Every structure is written in C-alpha cells, then in structure tokens.
C-alpha cells in the first residue's frame, strides 16, 4: 500500500472523493507535474477500484510499465505513483489488469490533454498557471444579474465556423482573433461552444466524449483555449460550454469497463445502455462518479474561466424510459419512471456550482415537461437558472413553415408560449439541432418564394428577439445560410457576396445592436410585468401587437407583426401614452432586403382609444413584416435608428 503523504496526496481528499464530496478532484487525480524533495516529475493518480494491478506506460518507458507499477492507497480504490524526470508533453496511458486477468490500455479519465485523434493516449499538461487578463470581466459579472441583462448567444461549432478544408481546422488561437472580433462586431453577448471535450469521432460534434477534462486537441492546446476564453472576456463576451454529463461513448480506451468492471456506467446494463446514441449513461448513484462529474463542471469554470454550462439532454437523464425499447425499461424504487438518482445529482450539481460560482450560468437543455427546472432546490426545483424553451421553438418553426393563408387557423402557435413564458427562466434557442438531419436551414424552413423566405426570416427573427426570454442563434443563421449545416465543411461565407444574404446579415447585426441597446427587451425577461399584449386575438388577419417594458416606467417598445400576405395600409394600434413614436426598425426597409425606401420619420398618436389604450397610432403594415416602435423621448437616439 502506498503512503499517500509521501507522494503529495491527502487521505482526507480521497475519503471525500469516495463519499462524492471532492469537488476539485482534478487537483488530486490525473497527471500533475510536481516536485517531491529534490526531484521533479509527474504524479499519476487514477480510480480503478477493482483492478488487480495498474501500471503507467508511455513514451518515456517504451510503453513497458514493468518499472512503473502504481500503488493502491488503502481501501480507496485509488492508485498513484510519482515518476521522476518527466514533465509536460509526456504521452501515457494506464495499463490495467482486470479482475479476470485481462490487460486494458486506458486513457486517463482526468487527462488535461489528449493526443490528436485517431491516437488516443493522454498527454501530461500544466493547466494551472495561465496568466489571465479578464479581471474586469469577472468584476462586472459580480455586479450584474443574468436575469436582468442582455443574453444574445452565438452557438458555434469550432470545426466548421471556418476551416481550410476537410480536417484542416483553425486553432483556438486563430479563433481568438477572427471569431471573437466577429462576434463582438455582430453584437452578441455570449458564445456557446459545442462540446470541446475530447472525443474520438468528428461527426459526434463532441457529444460522445472520452476526455471530460481535456479540450479537444483538434484545435490546439489547453493554453490556447484559455487564450480564446480570455480574449472573449476582454471583448465583453461570455463563454458557455455545451456539457454532456448524461452519457459517454463506448470506445475501448475510454470510461467503459474502465477497470474491467462497470464503475462509471454501473452494473445495471439496462439502466446504462443508451441504444439511440450507442452510448452509456453514467451511474448517478455512484459517489465517485458524482465527484468526477461535479468536479468537471467546477473545473471548466475554475481552470478555464468558462462562464456557464449548457447541460445537454436533461430529459434523457431524468426519464428512465427516454428513447428506450421496452426490453430496456427500468423503474425506480417507487415504481415510477423518474431517475431519482439523476434528479438528486442535478440538484447537487447546481447547488455546488452556485456555491463556488454564484454568477454562473447553468442552462438546461430539457425537452420534457418536468416542472420547476429553474427553481431553487430548496423550493423543490432542479436548481438551474435557465432552461431552453423547446416548446416555443417547435411551435414557431411549425407556424413559420405554414402557408400564410393557413395561419389564421393556427394563431395559437404564436400566442400559446405567453401562457407559460414566465413559468421558467427561458432561453429561446435556434440551435444546430434544428438545421441538420433533413430538417433544412432556418431560411429554407420558411414558406413561399425565394424573396418571401427572406421576408419571413426577417419577421421571425424580429419576433424571436422581442419575445420574452434570452436568445441563442446557431452560426450561419445570421445571413440566412440556405443549405443545412455541414459539420465537415466551413460555413457558406461566400453567400455574403449575394445581395439577399448580405442584406440579411446587415439586418441581424442591426437587430442585435437594437436588442442590446433596449433594456425593455431583456431587463424583465423573467417577469410577467415586462410583457403586455396590445392585440392578441386578430387571427383573421394574422397580426399581433405587444409591448415590452423595462424597469423604468417610460422604457417600453411596441412590436407590430404581420404574418400574413396581406397589405394593410391603415392599421390602427393602441398605445399607452400620447406623443411621437419612431420606428426603431422596419424589416421591410430596402437596406435589409425589403421593398420600402420611404419610411416615415415619426408617427403621431391620436387621442382615439383603441385596444383598451387611451391613444392610438395608424400605420402601414406591409405583408410578412415586423416594426419596432419607441417613444421619441426613449433611449434610442437618431444614430440608432436603422430604417433606410
């Protein structure tokens, strides 16, 4: 048995790990360059409770671990060894002898860096001493509440935002220049990265991982990723990581049967199997797995300064029958289909993250109807602070695909979301999931002719931006990418040379900046008082009118949407007060690809009651259009008015 103290390990930390309470376990496990006495080297530590023997093999010993056999520390199931005279850059694996005598070669579950696929070994890396320059960003986060701030997220797959050809990826460093500058110029407040944890198959987009602590080597080193995050923060952009705690891939070098037995996936194979994805679920009842996963969430925020996690596939975690055939059905102790272990894990995860990072973003990608996902755990909730609004997304994409002549019979698709809009703290996602696998691009989902598709997309984006909830758009949507997302190719940047797509790009950029400049569009996203219907029942004309309010009494915006093919030359809407109103944005302005070159500077209210309001305005409604109106005394100055 090893002397833990002699190699710089704490028995208390290992006890906490075994109990599921070591939330910085990455400082104990994995490969750590250290100094012991007069020697420098690397301390390797791994959990393999059922192994007969564990050795370290790698480039430093010609992959023969005879002289580098690890020592078991007490009854912890943890093995460790200090190897002198090696350091960062050392390539290694664990050679594990299973209970039945077989030998396995396994990557380190806590590896901070991995070889570039198809190679699968781990790489010793120093990740704890990066020179950060984002202090101002973190101070600002402490002073702001995410519920009352703008959140306009650009979702990015780094391998296909730009590249030089098949498998010729840009590096994290290159992205720290071009991508960050582009996102800042476009007016986005956050970047969300598709999973960048190490994964063997490009086509999985990172959702089937083998290295939870290793940023994928496809794009460079851990230090280069830190540079990307640091540059984002210096430009005022938050970084969200798509995180996948629900399941892992079955590749032999990964977590599956790690020591010859199912320690990460658990013994119940019916519970572990994810047949739809060909993966294995984590055993959320296992305390060591809890330490591993919760530490991983903390790791990305602590070591890489990630601002938040979008937690993937929550519905698949909490439902024992999710996408499973009957022969794999299991039930909890009460006879139900809720995964009570996963539910307890998610609550504990969120409690722990917010204990260490109170300003973190924990966003649930949850397609279920599970209640109180964004309520605190002490109130019975899961403890996230935001949730993707999948219902809104599905209803609106279905509505926009309809022929406008049929929309009067489906008016509820655009109004129903307001029945539950404040039941959770929502993000309105237009994500990668909606533009792959035959679903068509957002532009190509719109009905009508080529020109009408663009008009409809402008209308849809305007409604999306003004509907309560934070926002997320997948890359390429900002100029109306016509083809589906192709993960092995770069986005179709050449489309910006075409007038229709260039105009759409200009429209989205303008819309983004108006959003950021107007507190009424985000200050009260989670407050029913931030939204008022003005005209909700006009199904016959497919017109809706509503108002967004900020904290200040004179801070509001009126939104007028015409989802029909019809032109209404004298459409009257009620307004809350008399005065001059300006059109802050008109989707049919010629500069955005529309048909209007002469848009009035000012609209004057009249003391004619309408829609239950004391005053009203008459305005022209072109077909398939949206207009945003602000009181002339509002916060937009003349330079912020983008209509012609």
């Amino acid at each position: 048995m090893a002397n833990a103290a002699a190699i710089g390990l704490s028995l208390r930390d290992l006890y906490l790990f075994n109990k599921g309470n070591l939330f910085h376990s990455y400082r104990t496990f994995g490969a750590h360059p250290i100094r012991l006495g007069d020697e420098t080297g690397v301390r390797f530590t791994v959990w393999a409770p059922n192994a007969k023997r564990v050795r370290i093999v790698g480039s430093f010993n010609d992959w023969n671990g005879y002289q580098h056999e690890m020592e078991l520390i007490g009854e912890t199931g943890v093995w460790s060894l200090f190897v002198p005279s090696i350091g960062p850059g050392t390539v290694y694996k664990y050679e594990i002898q299973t209970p039945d005598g077989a030998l396995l070669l396994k990557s380190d579950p806590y590896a901070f860096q991995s070889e570039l696929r198809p190679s699968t070994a781990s790489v010793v890396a120093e990740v704890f001493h990066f020179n950060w320059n984002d202090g101002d960003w973190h101070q600002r986060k402490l002073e702001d509440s995410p519920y009352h701030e703008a959140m306009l997220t650009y979702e990015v797959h780094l391998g296909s935002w730009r590249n030089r050809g098949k498998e010729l990826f840009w590096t994290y460093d290159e992205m720290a220049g071009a991508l960050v500058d582009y996102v800042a110029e476009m007016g986005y407040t956050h970047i969300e990265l598709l999973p960048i944890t190490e994964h063997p198959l490009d086509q999985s987009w990172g959702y089937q991982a083998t290295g939870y602590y290793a940023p994928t080597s496809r794009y460079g080193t851990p230090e280069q990723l830190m540079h990307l995050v640091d540059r984002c923060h210096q430009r005022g952009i938050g970084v969200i990581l798509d995180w996948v705690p629900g399941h892992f891939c079955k590749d032999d070098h990964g977590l599956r049967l790690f020591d010859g037995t199912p320690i990460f996936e658990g013994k119940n194979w019916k519970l572990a199997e994810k047949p739809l994805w060909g993966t294995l679920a984590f055993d959320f009842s296992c305390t060591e797995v809890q330490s591993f996963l919760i530490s991983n969430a903390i790791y990305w925020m602590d070591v890489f300064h990630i601002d938040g996690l979008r937690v993937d596939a929550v519905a698949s975690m909490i439902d024992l029958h999710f996408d499973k055939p009957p022969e794999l059905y299991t039930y909890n102790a009460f006879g139900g289909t809720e995964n009570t272990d996963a539910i307890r894990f998610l609550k504990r995860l969120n409690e722990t993250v917010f204990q260490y990072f109170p300003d973190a973003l924990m966003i649930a990608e949850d397609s279920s109807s599970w209640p109180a996902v964004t309520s605190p755990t002490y109130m019975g909730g899961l403890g996230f602070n935001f949730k993707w609004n999948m219902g809104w997304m599905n209803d609106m994409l279905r509505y926009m695909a309809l022929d406008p002549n049929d929309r009067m019979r489906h008016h509820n698709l655009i109004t129903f979301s307001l029945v539950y809009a404040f039941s959770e703290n929502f993000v309105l996602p237009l994500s990668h999931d909606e533009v792959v696998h035959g679903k068509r691009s957002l532009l190509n989902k719109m009905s009508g002719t080529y020109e009408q598709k663009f008009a409809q997309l402008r209308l849809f984006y305007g409604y999306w931006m003004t509907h309560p909830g934070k926002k997320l758009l997948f890359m390429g949507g900002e100029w109306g990418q016509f083809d589906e997302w192709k993960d092995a190719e770069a986005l179709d940047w050449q489309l910006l040379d075409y007038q229709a797509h260039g105009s759409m790009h200009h429209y989205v950029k303008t819309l983004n900046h108006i959003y950021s400049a107007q507190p009424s569009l985000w200050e009260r996203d989670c407050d029913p008082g931030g939204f008022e219907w003005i005209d909700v029942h006009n199904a016959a004309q497919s017109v809706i009118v509503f108002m967004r309010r900020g904290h200040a009494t004179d801070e509001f915006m009126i939104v007028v949407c015409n989802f029909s093919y019809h032109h209404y030359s004298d459409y009257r809407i009620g307004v809350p007060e008399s005065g001059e109103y300006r059109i802050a944005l008109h989707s049919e302005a010629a500069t955005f690809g529309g048909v209007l070159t002469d848009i009035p500077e000012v609209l004057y209210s009249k003391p004619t009651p309408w829609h239950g309001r004391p005053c009203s305005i008459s305005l022209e409604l072109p077909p398939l259009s949206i207009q945003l109106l602000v009181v002339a005394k509002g916060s937009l100055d003349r330079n912020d008015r983008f209509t012609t």
Side-chain angles (χ1 to χ4, degrees), residues 235-291:
R235 295 297 305 270
I237 299 165
V239 182
I240 301 167
L241 176 62
D242 212 338
W243 189 59
V244 190
H247 61 119
F248 56 89
C249 66
K250 296 181 177 181
D251 291 57
D252 287 341
H253 67 282
L255 301 178
R256 182 177 68 95
L257 299 174
F258 184 75
D259 63 1
T261 67
I263 60 173
F264 285 94
E265 62 268 46
K267 297 178 181 178
N268 188 338
W269 67 274
K270 289 185 177 181
L271 186 60
E273 285 289 342
K274 295 275 191 182
L276 184 69
W277 298 326
T279 56
L280 294 169
F282 282 102
D283 178 7
F284 300 110
S285 69
C286 176
T287 50
E288 289 88 354
V289 169
Q290 292 172 27
S291 287

Side-chain angles (χ1 to χ4, degrees), residues 164-180:
R164 296 182 178 85
K166 186 177 181 181
E167 300 184 12
L168 299 174
F169 304 118
W170 278 28
T171 66
Y172 294 120
D173 275 342
E174 290 173 307
M175 292 289 181
L179 173 62
V180 175

